[in-house]
Amino acid sequence: MPAKVIPAPVAERAAEEPAYGFWGAMAGFIFYWLAFAIPILTYGANALFFLLYTWPFFLALIPVSVLIGLVFSVLLTGRLILMITCTGLAVFCLFWLVFASLTGW
């Protein structure tokens, strides 16, 4: 017996969810670059040379920042301002933790 494809009735189709994950990932990526710029603005060229020698550690923070944004967007579904605030704080704290531990503070 051949199988038939029977589409579900229109009333039973689930409504498509908004793409909260996309906004969380974008927030994590943008906050990563903002956090990357703060040591350079604070300490000047010395921080730029320091980041040049330790770039693999900071490069590894890009996917972590994106995942932090995704997690907060899933946990805080529909609350965009709170998600952006939590993502920004978490990414800045993570970036500063790596920066401070590499500089020996």
Side-chain angles (χ1 to χ4, degrees):
M1 253 190 200
K4 281 186 175 180
V5 176
I6 301 172
V10 177
E12 293 181 13
R13 292 183 189 164
E16 191 171 323
E17 289 281 327
Y20 296 117
F22 173 75
W23 295 111
M26 289 303 296
F29 187 73
I30 290 169
F31 278 118
Y32 169 81
W33 287 109
L34 289 174
F36 194 80
I38 286 178
I40 296 170
L41 293 174
T42 304
Y43 299 110
N46 292 334
L48 187 61
F49 288 124
F50 174 76
L51 293 172
L52 180 68
Y53 288 114
T54 58
W55 66 268
F57 297 104
F58 296 102
L59 185 65
L61 292 180
I62 291 177
V64 175
S65 300
V66 170
L67 284 175
I68 287 172
L70 282 170
V71 167
F72 278 123
S73 68
V74 169
L75 291 177
L76 303 170
T77 305
R79 291 182 264 179
L80 189 64
I81 301 297
L82 185 60
M83 183 269 302
I84 289 173
T85 304
C86 291
T87 302
L89 285 173
V91 169
F92 281 127
C93 289
L94 179 68
F95 198 90
W96 191 256
L97 177 72
V98 171
F99 184 77
S101 65
L102 287 175
T103 56
W105 290 346

